[in-house]
Amino acid sequence: MEKVTRLANEKGVVIFSKSSCCLCYAVNILFQELGVNPVVHEIDHDPEGREIEKALTRMGCAAPVPAVFIGGKMVGSTNEVMSLHLGGQLTTLLKPYVSS
């Protein structure tokens, strides 16, 4: 869990992902279209990937990937991100991290 916390605070927007996950890809593209370049950690390429996945689940992420952190705080997975986006709240959360 310490590694997840450290990586989640690495940059303003962090996505824990798997390279084969289409929902991870969709969330990453959404952020890019909103002007944000998130740090993406492909946990299937990390030797500690299984432990990271378990830690994300223990932290309350409904699905271990994608697990989205904004400002070091867990937002959640695809459902939570899309709900925020459709409700107009995601752009507010991302505003400090939009690339100029």
Side-chain angles (χ1 to χ4, degrees):
M1 194 133 105
E2 183 180 311
K3 182 173 183 175
V4 171
T5 304
R6 180 176 47 80
L7 292 173
N9 285 294
E10 193 173 81
K11 194 175 174 191
V13 180
V14 177
I15 301 172
F16 289 90
S17 175
K18 286 187 178 178
S19 56
S20 61
C21 174
C22 61
L23 292 176
C24 297
Y25 176 78
V27 168
N28 186 13
I29 293 300
L30 171 64
F31 285 143
Q32 289 180 24
E33 288 180 358
L34 294 172
V36 175
N37 293 313
V39 170
V40 178
H41 292 287
E42 301 284 357
I43 65 173
D44 53 336
H45 295 163
D46 188 312
E48 297 177 63
R50 283 203 190 280
E51 290 76 26
I52 292 171
E53 196 168 345
K54 289 176 188 174
L56 291 168
T57 303
R58 281 194 305 271
M59 293 173 82
C61 202
V65 293
V68 176
F69 289 78
I70 300 175
K73 295 183 178 153
M74 184 168 56
V75 172
S77 194
T78 309
N79 287 343
E80 292 79 15
V81 170
M82 293 310 293
S83 292
L84 288 168
H85 181 54
L86 294 172
Q89 300 154 310
L90 185 61
T91 52
T92 304
L93 287 173
L94 295 174
K95 195 171 194 164
Y97 310 107
V98 173
S99 303
S100 327

